Amino acid sequence: MVGLDEEEEELRRAEAENRIRNLVWTVSGDYGMRVQPDVDLFLRSRERGLYRAVCEGAFFRYYDQRAFSLYLMKKLYFEADERMLERIVHLCMDAAVFRTLIRERRGVEALRRRAAEEFLEREFAANTSTPLGRLFLSYYGRLTGGSAAADAVTAEMLAVLDCLSQEIPAGERVSARPVIEAVDLLYNRLVDPGFVRRHGDLEHVLGVTLEELAESDFDWQDFLAEEAEETATSEPPPAAEPPGAGGERRAGSSAPIRLDEKARARAYSYMELNYGRSYMKPLEQKRLNHALCRGTHDGCSLYFTDGILHNMVRRNYQFEYVRRQEEFNRTTYRRSRQMANRNIHILSDMLRQALIRRTEEEYVRSETGRILPRELWRTKYTGERRIFERRVPAESAEFVVDILMDASGSQRDRRGEVAVQSFILSEALSIVGIPHRVQSFCTCWDYTILQRFREYDDPREKNQRIFEYSTSANNRDGLAVRAAAQGLLQRPEENKILIILSDGRPNDRIVNRTVSRAPALYTREFAVRDTAEEIRRVRGAGVAVLGVFAGEETDLDAEKKIFGRDFAYIRDIRNFSPTVGRYLRRQLDLA
C-alpha cells in the first residue's frame, strides 16, 4: 500500500504537471496541443517553470507549431541529443516571443527577470565549462544587467538570438523558419559540430519524409492519428474580437467578449473534455447565462456538471488527476475519521435541538384568548388587562441549505480539509433531514464551473461524492454566489441558508488573451468588493449567508469585507462543528 507521503508526492507532481499543461494551453489558446511538462524544473525552480510554460504557450500561439514540431522530430530522427536540443529550443523560443509577451501581458517582464536570476544563482557553475552553457550565462546575464559575451563564439550566437527578437502584430501567425534555422545553427555549432558532416545540413534534415518517420522509433503515424482525433474536441477557440476601440481594459469594465459560434463550440468542448459533460439542457443553460452573466460578469458563462468522473467524454489525464485527488481526500478523512464522526454527532445534535424548539407550541399571556380565572384579581387591583392565554403556533421548521466550496487552485494545500468540512456539514444536515445541495466552483477560460456533488433531496449516500472535490484554475466568487443563490431562491422552504467555504481570495486572472482583448481582471479589491456586494444582494433576498474561512490569516481582512460578521474562522478542524453549529443554531432560532 502506498504511504500518504508517497501519495502526496505523486499528487504534488501530478498537480504541477496539470498546472503546466493548463498554462501552456491557456496562453497558446490550443487545448489540443501536445505538451511535455518539465515537472522537475517547476518543482526545483518555480519561476523558471512558470516562465517556460508561458513562453512555450506564446511561441505556439504566434508561430507555426506543426512546422516547428516536424523539424524537431526530424532532427531527433538523426539522433540529435534530445536534452541539448531542448535547451536550445527554449532559449530560441524566449528570444522569439519575449518582446510580444511583454507588450501584451502584464507581469511577464518581471517573471522573466526572476527566472533569469534563479538560473544564474543556481546553475552558474555548471554552465561555465561548455559553449552552450556560456551562451546561457551571457544571455541571461545581459537580462539581469550582467556583462556581455566573454568570447567571439558566444558573441556570434547572441547575435543570432537577437535576430529572432521581434514584436509580432496582434492576431498574426508567423513562419517558424527563422527559429528553426537558429535552433539548427546553435545545435550544430555549440553541441555537435560534426552533425552536418555526418547527416547533412538543415535542408537534408527537413527532407525526411513522414513515411521515414513512421518507420522510426517515434511512431509518427500514431501522433498524427491522435492529433486528428483530438482536433474535433480540443481545437482552440480563436482570439475574441475586441468589444470596441483598442486600448487596455480597466478593472471593472463590463464590455462583453464576443466569440463566434465555432469558437464557442471549441471552448465548450474543452469544458466537456476536462470537467465532464454538463447535466443541464442547453436551452436552460443559455437562459441562466443570459439572466446571471450581467454587469461585472458580462461576457462570462456558467457551466454545470457532475464532474469528469461521472460524465466524461473520454478517459484522459484530467480524469486521472481528479481520481487521485478523490483518493487523497478519502485518505485524509480516514486518518481523521474519529474526529470527523464526533463533529458530525455534535453538529447534528445542535441542529436537532434547535428544530425541536421551533416545533413546540407556546402559550403566552395576552389581552385576548382563553381567560385565566386565577388572574382575574389583577384586573381589580392593578388594572392588568393581560388575563387571557393565547396559543402561539409552532414556527416553520422548513429549512434548506446550500454548501458552496471554492475549488480554485489556491485551495490545493487545503483540499482534504475542505472536503472533510463539507462532508461533516452534509452528514449532519442529512441526519436531521434538512434538504441541502453541495457544489464547488472554479473558473477556467470564460466559464465558471459549478460541480454538483449532491442535490437537495438526494439520499445520504450521495454525501460520499463530496470526496471527489478537486482544485484547479481561478475563482470568480461573485458569479458563483449568484448562480448558487438562483437555485436556492427557487426552493419552496421558507428559511434559506447559504454556506460558502472559501479562502477570501476571489481571483480570475484570464491570461490567454491580449490585454486589449481581455475581459475585466477580477482580482484584489475589485473582486473582493464585487463578491461582498453579491453577498449583500443575496442576504437582501432573504438568504442567510455564512462564510467558513479556509485560508491564510493574511486574507482574513478580505474575508471580513466579504461576509461582515457572519463568518467562521476554523483554526482547528476539531472545533468545526461547535463553531459552525452556533451560527446555524442562531439562524434556526431567529428565522
Side-chain angles (χ1 to χ4, degrees):
M1 182 175 177
V2 178
L4 186 61
D5 290 343
E6 293 179 25
E7 183 177 331
E8 172 70 15
E9 175 63 19
E10 180 185 355
L11 186 56
R12 189 168 74 102
R13 293 184 65 83
E15 289 181 330
E17 183 174 343
N18 190 56
R19 181 172 185 183
I20 296 167
R21 286 182 193 275
N22 283 331
L23 188 53
V24 174
W25 286 338
T26 301
V27 176
S28 70
D30 184 352
Y31 298 101
M33 187 175 70
R34 291 165 63 97
V35 180
Q36 294 181 323
D38 191 339
V39 176
D40 290 329
L41 174 65
F42 180 85
L43 293 179
R44 74 172 183 269
S45 181
R46 179 183 175 84
E47 304 292 340
R48 290 172 61 200
L50 286 174
Y51 181 68
R52 177 172 291 186
V54 171
C55 186
E56 187 174 336
F59 182 82
F60 287 120
R61 182 181 184 87
Y62 293 110
Y63 287 86
D64 185 346
Q65 174 191 352
R66 182 174 176 80
F68 191 73
S69 298
L70 272 170
Y71 158 72
L72 295 178
M73 293 293 291
K74 292 174 180 181
K75 191 74 173 178
L76 293 171
Y77 174 79
F78 287 108
E79 300 180 351
D81 186 312
E82 186 173 0
R83 189 174 70 86
M84 292 295 106
L85 185 64
E86 182 184 7
R87 293 191 71 195
I88 292 171
V89 163
H90 286 110
L91 195 63
C92 291
M93 281 183 175
D94 175 61
V97 302
F98 80 87
R99 292 187 186 279
T100 306
L101 270 173
I102 289 172
R103 180 192 72 201
E104 296 185 344
R105 291 177 172 82
R106 287 174 245 164
V108 166
E109 187 171 15
L111 176 61
R112 181 174 182 251
R113 184 182 181 87
R114 291 196 300 271
E117 289 171 346
E118 274 192 357
F119 175 83
L120 294 173
E121 178 182 348
R122 300 182 183 185
E123 301 192 30
F124 184 89
N127 283 276
T128 58
S129 59
T130 65
L132 181 58
R134 289 192 290 273
L135 175 61
F136 269 86
L137 295 178
S138 293
Y139 184 81
Y140 289 129
R142 289 191 314 178
L143 175 57
T144 58
S147 59
D151 58 73
V153 173
T154 302
E156 181 184 351
M157 296 301 101
L158 282 173
V160 171
L161 293 172
D162 289 341
C163 289
L164 294 178
S165 300
Q166 60 173 315
E167 280 199 42
I168 303 167
E172 288 193 12
R173 195 175 181 88
V174 296
S175 170
R177 178 69 188 220
V179 186
I180 291 171
E181 292 176 351
V183 171
D184 206 65
L185 175 60
L186 265 61
Y187 182 87
N188 294 345
R189 287 290 302 276
L190 302 179
V191 177
D192 188 356
F195 185 91
V196 174
R197 174 172 46 79
R198 296 194 312 276
H199 304 295
D201 60 10
L202 176 59
E203 297 308 319
H204 186 73
V205 170
L206 294 176
V208 175
T209 65
L210 293 182
E211 287 75 14
E212 290 174 303
L213 286 174
E215 293 171 0
S216 71
D217 294 335
F218 295 112
D219 206 2
W220 184 245
Q221 287 182 337
D222 285 350
F223 177 84
L224 289 177
E226 180 181 330
E227 184 181 67
E229 176 191 351
E230 294 204 357
T231 297
T233 55
S234 302
E235 190 174 352
E241 289 300 319
E248 183 175 324
R249 181 84 60 81
R250 293 178 301 168
S253 166
S254 59
I257 296 299
R258 307 197 183 280
L259 298 175
D260 60 29
E261 289 305 313
K262 187 176 181 181
R264 289 184 184 279
R266 292 174 185 170
Y268 193 84
S269 292
Y270 175 76
M271 295 300 117
E272 290 186 316
L273 189 63
N274 289 281
Y275 293 95
R277 292 186 179 93
S278 175
Y279 60 79
M280 189 170 287
K281 294 180 179 179
L283 286 178
E284 177 65 10
Q285 196 157 276
K286 185 176 182 180
R287 184 187 69 79
L288 284 174
N289 282 333
H290 179 74
L292 302 178
C293 298
R294 295 175 175 272
T296 298
H297 311 295
D298 196 8
C300 298
S301 300
L302 290 161
Y303 188 81
F304 301 87
T305 178
D306 286 324
I308 193 172
L309 299 186
H310 294 278
N311 204 356
M312 66 177 176
V313 174
R314 64 171 176 270
R315 193 166 184 141
N316 59 4
Y317 173 84
Q318 187 70 11
F319 178 93
E320 297 299 332
Y321 171 70
V322 173
R323 187 182 59 78
R324 285 196 292 266
Q325 289 217 29
E326 178 193 13
E327 183 53 38
F328 177 83
N329 293 338
R330 291 189 182 278
T331 301
T332 302
Y333 170 71
R334 287 193 293 268
R335 288 168 62 92
S336 57
R337 186 191 301 271
Q338 186 175 358
M339 175 276 300
N341 289 342
R342 185 168 59 252
N343 270 268
I344 292 168
H345 177 74
I346 292 170
L347 185 55
S348 59
D349 274 357
M350 293 174 75
L351 294 174
R352 185 183 292 110
Q353 291 169 18
L355 289 171
I356 289 173
R357 284 197 299 272
R358 292 185 63 84
T359 58
E360 292 177 342
E361 291 184 344
E362 289 186 71
Y363 290 87
V364 297
R365 287 171 57 182
S366 173
E367 294 182 2
T368 60
R370 184 171 64 88
I371 194 167
L372 298 172
R374 66 179 180 276
E375 301 292 334
L376 288 174
W377 66 272
R378 292 180 182 274
T379 303
K380 181 177 180 180
Y381 293 104
T382 65
E384 173 65 65
R385 301 179 59 183
R386 290 183 301 165
I387 59 173
F388 299 88
E389 183 180 66
R390 180 170 58 86
R391 182 175 66 86
V392 179
E395 296 179 89
S396 170
E398 290 191 340
F399 281 84
V400 63
V401 176
D402 243 85
I403 300 171
L404 188 61
M405 297 184 284
D406 175 0
S408 63
S410 62
Q411 291 283 56
R412 182 259 173 196
D413 291 336
R414 293 177 289 273
R415 64 194 178 282
E417 180 180 338
V418 172
V420 171
Q421 288 177 348
S422 299
F423 182 72
I424 290 170
L425 269 171
S426 189
E427 283 285 280
L429 292 168
S430 293
I431 289 170
V432 298
I434 294 179
H436 63 286
R437 178 175 63 176
V438 182
Q439 302 178 100
S440 70
F441 70 95
C442 66
T443 300
C444 179
W445 187 257
D446 290 335
Y447 286 90
T448 289
I449 300 111
L450 287 123
Q451 179 172 343
R452 178 179 65 178
F453 301 101
R454 60 159 289 138
E455 267 293 356
Y456 295 107
D457 299 310
D458 279 342
R460 182 176 173 182
E461 292 73 25
K462 276 290 188 72
N463 296 342
Q464 290 293 325
R465 287 178 57 171
I466 292 171
F467 294 117
E468 295 168 16
Y469 167 75
S470 63
T471 58
S472 67
N474 301 324
N475 52 310
R476 185 170 280 259
D477 294 39
L479 181 55
V481 170
R482 184 180 296 181
Q486 172 80 1
L488 190 58
L489 288 168
Q490 291 177 352
R491 291 288 299 185
E493 290 83 0
E494 181 180 349
N495 307 297
K496 300 173 174 64
I497 300 174
L498 174 61
I499 302 174
I500 304 169
L501 286 78
S502 73
D503 61 3
R505 296 172 62 187
N507 177 44
D508 182 20
R509 195 180 287 272
I510 300 176
V511 298
N512 62 318
R513 295 183 178 141
T514 62
V515 171
S516 63
R517 297 179 179 182
L521 287 177
Y522 194 78
T523 60
R524 299 180 182 173
E525 285 299 317
F526 174 71
V528 168
R529 187 168 62 252
D530 175 74
T531 306
E533 288 173 358
E534 197 62 42
I535 295 293
R536 285 195 292 272
R537 188 191 69 80
V538 172
R539 284 174 174 156
V543 177
V545 182
L546 169 68
V548 177
F549 182 60
E552 305 294 338
E553 283 196 49
T554 53
D555 296 313
L556 267 174
D557 286 342
E559 186 81 353
K560 292 175 183 176
K561 291 177 182 176
I562 292 172
F563 293 102
R565 281 188 256 177
D566 288 331
F567 82 94
Y569 179 23
I570 313 298
R571 291 180 174 86
D572 188 333
I573 194 171
R574 288 174 294 185
N575 299 324
F576 177 79
S577 284
T579 304
V580 175
R582 281 193 292 272
Y583 172 84
L584 292 176
R585 187 171 58 191
R586 185 168 77 249
Q587 295 305 316
L588 267 60
D589 289 341
L590 294 177

